[in-house]
């Protein structure tokens, strides 16, 4: 008989593990299921893989922070060093894109790694979680999923964890990768890849095996009448780096640029200029305001924040930080 692949599932919480009080409720529900409950709810998984699981956290993903990410990194690394063929992370969709991007930059393995969530709680009519989890295990069990970096699966679509972004608080097809598109799709629960294995431009590796805390990086959002005093406040709160969700292609106010220059010169706090626009990128030509100013390229603020945290943690000089961001598309 054919040996089934070994897949380990790491539970983080989220809507996929949530329960409402009526079957029409799709907001205001609470986390209430464990990863064990989820696995036991899909008996046919027994035919797909030998499963093991670990509950790393069990919260809405708005509550996840860098400590959770480091804990998840350590658990996946340990499992990949052992005898498994792939891994799945069940996760709230609100911050899947940060976790998947972080794992893309830190997990040194070609084994399949799939992050999965749901948009409807488990108690809802047409809840999407169990089908998404079934498909995630299928991806993690397949040789064809290797060397692709972390993948995100929801609504029959397989997305690159590097590129994908949550676009809607309710739509089942909330994850999009804009111009980069999806990597594959499910048809009758079979994986159909659009592309052979590939990693995105800008994919880098950071060794965090000795890290027990990531540096604080704060995001500031641009708006008409922007108060530049927020930059000082962020530094007072302990920011070791800043990310600006700037206007358009990374624009910020002149006064704000001067304050950012000042905190760079006084405290060595760099600023990555990203964009509040959903698509597009920030070119270097738009951010040559001072030595510590860096262009995010195509990275949105939440992904730029993760990359800056990893660069600062690795003790990169400003030249190395700039190089790191310039290897990302458009940076
Ligand atoms: N759809 C979801 O998973 C949203 C949820 N609130 C979360 O934990 O991110």
């Amino acid at each position: 008989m054919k040996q089934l692949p070994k897949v380990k599932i790491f539970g983080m919480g989220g809507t996929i593990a949530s329960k409402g009080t009526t079957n029409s409720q799709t907001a205001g529900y609470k986390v209430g299921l464990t990863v064990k409950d989820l696995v036991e709810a899909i008996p046919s998984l027994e035919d797909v893989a030998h499963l093991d699981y670990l509950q790393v956290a069990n919260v809405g993903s708005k509550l996840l922070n860098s400590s959770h990410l480091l804990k998840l990194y350590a658990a996946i690394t340990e499992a990949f060093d052992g005898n498994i063929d792939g891994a799945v992370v069940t996760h709230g969709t609100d911050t899947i894109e940060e976790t998947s991007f972080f794992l893309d930059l830190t997990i040194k393995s070609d084994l399949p790694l799939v992050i999965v969530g749901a948009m409807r709680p488990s108690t809802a009519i047409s809840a999407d979680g169990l089908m998404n989890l079934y498909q995630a295990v299928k991806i993690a069990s397949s040789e064809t999923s290797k060397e692709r970096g972390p993948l995100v699966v929801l609504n029959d679509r397989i997305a690159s964890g590097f590129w994908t972004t949550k676009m809607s608080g309710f739509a089942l097809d909330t994850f999009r990768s804009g111009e980069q598109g999806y990597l594959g799709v499910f048809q009758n629960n079979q994986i159909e890849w659009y592309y052979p294995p590939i990693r995105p431009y800008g994919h880098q590796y950071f060794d965090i095996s000795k890290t027990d805390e990531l540096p604080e990086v704060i995001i500031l959002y641009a708006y008409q009448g922007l108060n530049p005093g927020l930059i000082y406040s962020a530094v007072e709160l302990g920011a070791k780096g800043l990310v600006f969700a700037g206007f358009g292609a990374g624009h910020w106010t002149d006064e704000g640029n001067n304050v950012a220059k000042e905190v760079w010169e006084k405290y060595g706090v760099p600023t990555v200029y990203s964009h509040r626009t959903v698509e597009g990128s920030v070119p270097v030509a738009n951010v040559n305001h001072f030595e510590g100013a860096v262009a995010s390229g195509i990275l949105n603020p939440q992904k730029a924040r993760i990359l800056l945290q990893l660069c600062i943690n690795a003790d990169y000089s400003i030249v190395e930080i700039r190089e790191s961001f310039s290897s990302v598309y458009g940076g």
Side-chain angles (χ1 to χ4, degrees):
M1 213 173 81
K2 204 172 147 248
Q3 279 257 315
L4 288 178
K6 295 193 187 73
V7 170
K8 186 151 181 173
I9 309 184
F10 300 90
M12 300 297 284
T15 296
I16 192 167
S18 291
K19 285 162 128 179
T21 47
T22 66
N23 67 6
S24 58
Q25 187 185 353
T26 61
Y29 45 79
K30 299 260 179 330
V31 172
L33 296 172
T34 62
V35 64
K36 181 171 185 279
D37 296 329
L38 293 176
V39 170
E40 287 175 356
I42 319 177
S44 53
L45 279 178
E46 266 181 31
D47 304 327
V48 181
H50 283 301
L51 295 177
D52 184 15
Y53 43 80
L54 179 73
Q55 195 79 54
V56 178
N58 211 9
V59 293
S61 69
K62 64 185 176 190
L63 296 175
L64 296 175
N65 56 37
S66 299
S67 319
H68 294 106
L69 293 193
L70 290 174
K71 215 169 146 192
L72 179 62
Y73 155 83
I76 295 172
T77 302
E78 194 189 328
F80 278 169
D81 286 346
N83 181 23
I84 65 164
D85 300 295
V88 169
V89 180
T90 57
H91 197 293
T93 57
D94 285 348
T95 65
I96 271 187
E97 65 190 277
E98 276 131 293
T99 299
S100 64
F101 185 70
F102 167 80
L103 295 175
D104 186 283
L105 300 180
T106 56
I107 295 286
K108 199 175 192 184
S109 169
D110 287 334
L111 291 176
L113 172 57
V114 190
I115 301 122
V116 63
M119 292 305 289
R120 293 180 181 150
S122 63
T123 41
I125 307 159
S126 293
D128 52 335
L130 296 186
M131 181 62 95
N132 290 345
L133 178 56
Y134 179 82
Q135 294 183 345
V137 174
K138 283 222 72 150
I139 302 169
S141 307
S142 172
E143 283 278 324
T144 65
S145 311
K146 284 180 166 176
E147 298 172 40
R148 293 178 185 272
L151 301 164
V152 173
V153 65
L154 263 93
N155 196 46
D156 291 339
R157 266 61 178 195
I158 310 167
S160 149
F162 183 96
W163 289 118
T164 203
T165 300
K166 185 172 183 178
M167 301 292 284
S168 155
F170 284 100
L172 300 188
D173 63 342
T174 183
F175 281 95
R176 307 271 175 80
S177 315
E179 305 199 14
Q180 296 75 34
Y182 293 110
L183 302 183
V185 67
F186 271 84
Q187 282 179 0
N188 191 23
N189 275 324
Q190 300 304 315
I191 309 166
E192 306 286 346
W193 295 109
Y194 294 133
Y195 308 104
I198 190 94
R199 304 302 293 267
Y201 276 125
H203 170 257
Q204 299 161 58
Y205 170 68
F206 289 86
D207 180 0
I208 56 162
S209 55
K210 308 226 160 29
T211 299
D212 16 71
E213 204 181 347
L214 287 173
E216 173 102 56
V217 170
I218 290 180
I219 300 174
L220 297 174
Y221 197 93
Y223 55 92
Q224 290 181 340
L226 178 70
N227 184 340
L230 288 170
I231 300 170
Y232 291 122
S233 305
V235 174
E236 274 163 25
L237 284 169
K240 301 288 179 283
L242 299 171
V243 173
F244 287 174
F247 303 106
H251 304 125
W252 202 256
T253 62
D254 291 346
E255 210 187 340
N257 289 334
N258 289 337
V259 178
K261 180 169 187 263
E262 201 182 313
V263 301
W264 163 251
E265 286 167 358
K266 269 201 196 151
Y267 310 110
V269 173
T271 295
V272 172
Y273 286 73
S274 180
H275 47 94
R276 67 174 206 179
T277 38
V278 178
E279 292 190 340
S281 62
V282 176
V284 176
N286 274 357
V287 305
N288 48 10
H289 313 300
F290 56 94
E291 194 203 6
V294 179
S296 78
I298 204 159
L299 294 183
N300 67 21
Q302 53 273 34
K303 292 189 194 238
R305 174 179 164 272
I306 299 275
L307 180 55
L308 184 56
Q309 280 186 298
L310 291 169
C311 288
I312 295 172
N313 182 59
D315 256 334
Y316 278 12
S317 67
I318 191 65
V319 173
E320 289 168 317
I321 295 178
R322 207 170 291 117
E323 267 169 25
S324 179
F325 276 85
S326 70
S327 70
V328 171
Y329 177 79

